[in-house]
Amino acid sequence: KNQVEQSPQSLIILEGKNCTLQCNYTVSPFSNLRWYKQDTGRGPVSLTIMTFSENTKSNGRYTATLDADTKQSSLHITASQLSDSASYICVVRERANDYKLSFGAGTTVTVRA
Amino acid sequence: NAGVTQTPKFRVLKTGQSMTLLCAQDMNHEYMYWYRQDPGMGLRLIHYSVGEGTTAKGEVPDGYNVSRLKKQNFLLGLESAAPSQTSVYFCASSNEMNTEAFFGQGTRLTVV
């Protein structure tokens, strides 16, 4: 069973609207959680990173939140643009086990005009 | 401003053929990684390297070999390709173990 589960698997939103992506993880002990954006045909690019002591981190119109107690994170996209169409991947880094990374399967976001 | 460069971008192999994927990074990173990405699954680590001349097995190493003869290059080899190795392969590098990784653009490999 994957230690990082993302939902929804995909979603479609209209340009200008907001959306929220979810990430639940079971990785423990936990070091940090990162959100990546992966455009079609490209490699993932880091958006935000949060340690276990941080609750929120923003990068422009992207805001990530973290609840380490419930092992949940969310990525909120504000005022979506066509360029936000991509896959968003949640990645959790363990504090032990050679800092192993566990990747979620991603949420595919499609923004339509 | 190249970052991480992978070659080739696309390749079709017949079952049993061999090939080598090349990854080059210009950021002087010590750590390099090879991942595969399959539909509906998260990226899975194949092999990684913590420095020139060193390699280690990741989560799914079977059927692959790697070499890190130069710090900037990390090669992934398939000795006898199988259809199960059809995937998109990503190389990445970082300056510390599993910190922010910079990814290449990927290699889409199809084994028929």
Side-chain angles (χ1 to χ4, degrees):
Chain A
K1 188 181 186 320
N2 197 0
Q3 294 191 81
V4 179
E5 298 286 347
Q6 292 188 241
S7 62
Q9 186 175 1
S10 63
L11 65 93
I12 300 172
I13 58 173
L14 292 177
E15 189 178 14
K17 299 298 185 184
N18 305 334
C19 68
T20 301
L21 316 180
Q22 299 292 338
C23 173
N24 295 338
Y25 63 93
T26 59
V27 173
S28 183
F30 157 83
S31 173
N32 61 51
L33 185 147
R34 192 184 295 273
W35 284 91
Y36 280 88
K37 179 186 180 189
Q38 184 178 17
D39 292 315
T40 300
R42 310 288 293 178
V45 175
S46 180
L47 282 176
T48 65
I49 179 172
M50 292 176 290
T51 66
F52 59 87
S53 62
E54 295 179 291
N55 299 120
T56 186
K57 184 69 69 77
S58 290
N59 179 357
R61 294 178 296 99
Y62 301 100
T63 300
T65 63
L66 173 64
D67 186 334
D69 291 332
T70 62
K71 294 187 168 66
Q72 295 180 327
S73 177
S74 64
L75 181 69
H76 187 75
I77 305 175
T78 303
S80 60
Q81 300 177 359
L82 297 178
S83 60
D84 293 329
S85 294
S87 179
Y88 294 85
I89 301 171
C90 175
V91 186
V92 180
R93 183 180 190 237
E94 292 186 36
R95 203 182 310 158
N97 197 15
D98 288 332
Y99 303 106
K100 178 178 180 290
L101 296 181
S102 294
F103 290 79
T107 293
T108 300
V109 174
T110 302
V111 181
R112 291 191 174 159
Chain B
N1 213 22
V4 179
T5 303
Q6 292 181 230
T7 53
K9 291 184 174 59
F10 303 94
R11 186 73 187 268
V12 178
L13 284 181
K14 293 183 179 179
T15 298
Q17 286 185 319
S18 63
M19 77 164 294
T20 300
L21 282 67
L22 173 63
C23 176
Q25 54 98 0
D26 61 3
M27 296 172 283
N28 202 35
H29 284 164
E30 288 292 338
Y31 299 83
M32 296 187 74
Y33 318 84
W34 275 106
Y35 291 94
R36 61 179 289 173
Q37 187 175 43
D38 300 295
M41 302 180 70
L43 283 148
R44 291 182 292 168
L45 183 64
I46 304 171
H47 286 281
Y48 65 97
S49 168
V50 302
E52 180 179 322
T54 73
T55 63
K57 293 181 179 180
E59 183 184 354
V60 287
D62 293 342
Y64 306 95
N65 57 75
V66 288
S67 64
R68 182 104 181 264
L69 299 179
K70 294 183 179 181
K71 185 177 183 179
Q72 64 268 33
N73 295 337
F74 195 28
L75 279 65
L76 177 71
L78 286 74
E79 290 185 349
S80 180
S84 61
Q85 294 178 303
T86 294
S87 186
V88 181
Y89 292 86
F90 286 98
C91 175
S93 70
S94 64
N95 59 4
E96 293 180 27
M97 185 65 182
N98 285 335
T99 55
E100 180 179 4
F102 293 83
F103 286 83
Q105 79 277 24
T107 296
R108 182 172 294 276
L109 175 66
T110 302
V111 183
V112 297

